[in-house]
Coordinates of all heavy atoms in Angstrom, one line a residue:
E1 N -6.2 -14.4 9.4 CA -5.9 -15.7 10.0 C -5.5 -15.7 11.4 O -5.1 -16.7 12.0 CB -4.7 -16.3 9.2 CG -5.0 -16.6 7.7 CD -6.1 -17.6 7.5 OE1 -6.1 -18.6 8.3 OE2 -7.0 -17.4 6.6
G2 N -5.6 -14.5 12.0 CA -5.2 -14.4 13.5 C -3.8 -14.4 13.7 O -3.4 -14.8 14.8
H3 N -3.0 -14.0 12.8 CA -1.5 -14.2 12.9 C -0.8 -12.8 12.9 O 0.4 -12.7 12.8 CB -0.9 -15.0 11.7 CG -1.4 -16.4 11.7 ND1 -1.6 -17.1 10.5 CD2 -1.8 -17.2 12.6 CE1 -2.1 -18.3 10.7 NE2 -2.2 -18.4 12.0
L4 N -1.6 -11.7 13.1 CA -0.9 -10.4 13.2 C -0.6 -10.1 14.6 O -1.5 -9.7 15.4 CB -1.9 -9.4 12.6 CG -1.2 -8.0 12.3 CD1 0.0 -8.1 11.3 CD2 -2.3 -7.1 11.7
S5 N 0.6 -10.2 15.0 CA 0.9 -10.1 16.4 C 1.0 -8.7 16.9 O 0.7 -8.4 18.1 CB 2.3 -10.8 16.7 OG 3.3 -10.2 15.9
E6 N 1.4 -7.7 16.0 CA 1.5 -6.3 16.4 C 0.6 -5.5 15.5 O 1.0 -5.1 14.4 CB 3.0 -5.9 16.3 CG 3.2 -4.4 16.6 CD 2.6 -4.0 17.9 OE1 3.0 -4.5 19.0 OE2 1.6 -3.2 17.9
R7 N -0.6 -5.2 15.9 CA -1.5 -4.5 15.0 C -1.3 -3.0 14.9 O -1.6 -2.4 13.9 CB -2.9 -4.8 15.6 CG -4.0 -4.3 14.6 CD -5.4 -4.7 15.1 NE -6.4 -4.2 14.2 CZ -6.9 -4.9 13.1 NH1 -6.5 -6.1 12.9 NH2 -7.9 -4.4 12.3
V8 N -0.7 -2.4 15.9 CA -0.5 -1.0 15.9 C 0.4 -0.5 14.8 O 0.1 0.3 14.0 CB 0.1 -0.5 17.3 CG1 0.4 1.0 17.2 CG2 -0.9 -0.7 18.4
G9 N 1.6 -1.2 14.7 CA 2.5 -0.9 13.6 C 1.9 -1.1 12.2 O 2.1 -0.4 11.3
A10 N 1.2 -2.3 12.1 CA 0.6 -2.6 10.8 C -0.5 -1.6 10.5 O -0.6 -1.2 9.3 CB 0.1 -4.0 10.9
A11 N -1.2 -1.2 11.5 CA -2.3 -0.2 11.2 C -1.8 1.1 10.7 O -2.3 1.8 9.8 CB -3.2 0.0 12.5
R12 N -0.7 1.5 11.3 CA 0.0 2.8 10.9 C 0.5 2.7 9.4 O 0.3 3.6 8.6 CB 1.1 3.1 11.9 CG 1.7 4.5 11.5 CD 2.6 4.9 12.7 NE 3.6 3.9 13.1 CZ 3.6 3.2 14.2 NH1 2.6 3.4 15.1 NH2 4.5 2.3 14.5
M13 N 1.1 1.5 9.1 CA 1.6 1.3 7.8 C 0.4 1.3 6.8 O 0.5 1.9 5.7 CB 2.3 -0.1 7.7 CG 2.8 -0.5 6.3 SD 1.5 -1.3 5.3 CE 1.6 -2.9 6.1
V14 N -0.7 0.6 7.1 CA -1.8 0.5 6.2 C -2.4 1.9 6.0 O -2.7 2.3 4.8 CB -2.9 -0.4 6.8 CG1 -4.2 -0.3 6.1 CG2 -2.4 -1.9 6.8
Q15 N -2.6 2.7 7.0 CA -3.1 4.0 6.9 C -2.3 4.9 5.9 O -2.8 5.6 5.1 CB -3.3 4.7 8.2 CG -3.9 6.1 8.1 CD -4.0 6.8 9.5 OE1 -3.0 6.7 10.2 NE2 -5.1 7.5 9.8
Q16 N -1.0 4.8 6.1 CA -0.1 5.6 5.3 C -0.1 5.1 3.8 O -0.1 5.9 2.9 CB 1.4 5.5 5.8 CG 1.5 6.3 7.2 CD 2.9 6.0 7.8 OE1 3.5 5.0 7.6 NE2 3.3 7.0 8.6
A17 N -0.1 3.8 3.6 CA -0.2 3.3 2.3 C -1.5 3.7 1.6 O -1.4 4.1 0.4 CB 0.0 1.7 2.3
L18 N -2.6 3.5 2.3 CA -3.8 3.9 1.6 C -4.0 5.4 1.4 O -4.6 5.8 0.4 CB -5.0 3.4 2.5 CG -5.1 1.9 2.7 CD1 -6.4 1.5 3.4 CD2 -5.1 1.1 1.4
R19 N -3.4 6.2 2.2 CA -3.4 7.6 2.0 C -2.6 7.9 0.7 O -3.0 8.7 -0.1 CB -2.7 8.3 3.2 CG -2.6 9.9 3.0 CD -2.0 10.5 4.2 NE -2.8 10.4 5.4 CZ -3.5 11.5 5.8 NH1 -3.4 12.7 5.2 NH2 -4.3 11.4 6.9
F20 N -1.5 7.2 0.5 CA -0.7 7.4 -0.7 C -1.5 7.0 -1.9 O -1.5 7.6 -3.0 CB 0.6 6.7 -0.6 CG 1.6 7.0 -1.7 CD1 2.5 8.0 -1.6 CD2 1.6 6.3 -2.9 CE1 3.3 8.3 -2.7 CE2 2.4 6.6 -4.0 CZ 3.3 7.6 -3.8
I21 N -2.1 5.8 -1.8 CA -2.9 5.3 -2.9 C -4.1 6.3 -3.3 O -4.3 6.6 -4.4 CB -3.5 3.9 -2.7 CG1 -2.3 2.9 -2.6 CG2 -4.6 3.5 -3.7 CD1 -2.7 1.5 -2.1
A22 N -4.8 6.7 -2.3 CA -5.9 7.6 -2.5 C -5.4 8.9 -3.1 O -6.2 9.5 -4.0 CB -6.6 7.9 -1.1
N23 N -4.2 9.4 -2.9 CA -3.8 10.7 -3.4 C -3.0 10.5 -4.7 O -2.7 11.6 -5.3 CB -3.0 11.4 -2.3 CG -3.8 12.1 -1.3 OD1 -4.4 13.1 -1.5 ND2 -3.9 11.4 -0.1
N24 N -2.6 9.3 -5.0 CA -1.8 9.1 -6.2 C -2.4 8.2 -7.3 O -1.9 8.1 -8.4 CB -0.4 8.7 -5.8 CG 0.4 9.7 -5.1 OD1 1.0 10.6 -5.7 ND2 0.3 9.6 -3.8
G25 N -3.4 7.4 -6.9 CA -4.0 6.5 -7.8 C -5.1 7.1 -8.6 O -5.4 8.3 -8.4
P26 N -5.7 6.4 -9.5 CA -5.6 5.0 -9.8 C -4.5 4.7 -10.8 O -4.0 3.6 -11.0 CB -6.9 4.6 -10.3 CG -7.4 5.8 -11.0 CD -6.9 7.0 -10.2
Y27 N -4.0 5.8 -11.5 CA -3.0 5.5 -12.5 C -1.6 5.4 -11.8 O -1.3 6.2 -11.0 CB -2.9 6.7 -13.5 CG -4.2 7.0 -14.3 CD1 -4.7 8.2 -14.4 CD2 -4.9 5.9 -14.9 CE1 -5.9 8.5 -15.1 CE2 -6.1 6.1 -15.6 CZ -6.6 7.4 -15.7 OH -7.7 7.6 -16.4
S28 N -0.9 4.4 -12.3 CA 0.4 4.1 -11.7 C 1.6 4.7 -12.6 O 1.5 4.5 -13.8 CB 0.6 2.6 -11.5 OG 1.9 2.4 -10.9
P29 N 2.6 5.2 -12.0 CA 3.8 5.7 -12.8 C 4.4 4.5 -13.5 O 5.1 4.8 -14.6 CB 4.7 6.3 -11.8 CG 3.8 6.7 -10.7 CD 2.7 5.7 -10.6
Q30 N 4.3 3.3 -13.0 CA 4.9 2.1 -13.7 C 3.9 1.0 -13.5 O 3.3 0.8 -12.4 CB 6.2 1.7 -13.2 CG 7.4 2.6 -13.6 CD 8.7 2.1 -13.1 OE1 8.8 1.2 -12.3 NE2 9.8 2.6 -13.7
D31 N 3.8 0.1 -14.5 CA 3.0 -1.1 -14.3 C 3.9 -2.2 -13.6 O 5.1 -1.9 -13.3 CB 2.5 -1.7 -15.6 CG 3.7 -2.1 -16.6 OD1 4.8 -1.6 -16.4 OD2 3.4 -2.9 -17.5
R32 N 3.4 -3.4 -13.4 CA 4.2 -4.4 -12.6 C 5.4 -4.9 -13.4 O 6.3 -5.5 -12.9 CB 3.3 -5.5 -12.2 CG 2.8 -6.4 -13.3 CD 2.1 -7.6 -12.7 NE 1.5 -8.5 -13.7 CZ 1.1 -9.8 -13.5 NH1 1.3 -10.3 -12.3 NH2 0.5 -10.5 -14.4
W33 N 5.4 -4.6 -14.7 CA 6.5 -5.0 -15.6 C 7.6 -3.9 -15.7 O 8.5 -4.0 -16.4 CB 6.1 -5.5 -16.9 CG 5.1 -6.6 -16.9 CD1 3.9 -6.6 -17.4 CD2 5.4 -7.9 -16.3 NE1 3.3 -7.9 -17.1 CE2 4.2 -8.7 -16.5 CE3 6.4 -8.5 -15.6 CZ2 4.0 -10.0 -16.0 CZ3 6.3 -9.8 -15.1 CH2 5.1 -10.5 -15.3
E34 N 7.3 -2.8 -14.9 CA 8.3 -1.7 -14.7 C 8.6 -1.0 -16.0 O 9.7 -0.5 -16.2 CB 9.6 -2.3 -14.0 CG 9.3 -3.1 -12.8 CD 10.5 -3.6 -12.1 OE1 11.3 -4.3 -12.7 OE2 10.6 -3.2 -10.9
E35 N 7.6 -0.9 -16.8 CA 7.9 -0.2 -18.1 C 7.0 0.9 -18.5 O 7.5 1.9 -19.1 CB 7.7 -1.3 -19.2 CG 8.8 -2.5 -19.1 CD 8.6 -3.5 -20.2 OE1 7.7 -3.4 -21.0 OE2 9.4 -4.4 -20.2

């Protein structure tokens, strides 16, 4: 939507999150109901 004022910090966050997903997914230790 053109509302991301600081792309550098967001890009670093995204890269780290996707790295975690790639190395730990697709099975999750907990579902969204935390059970």
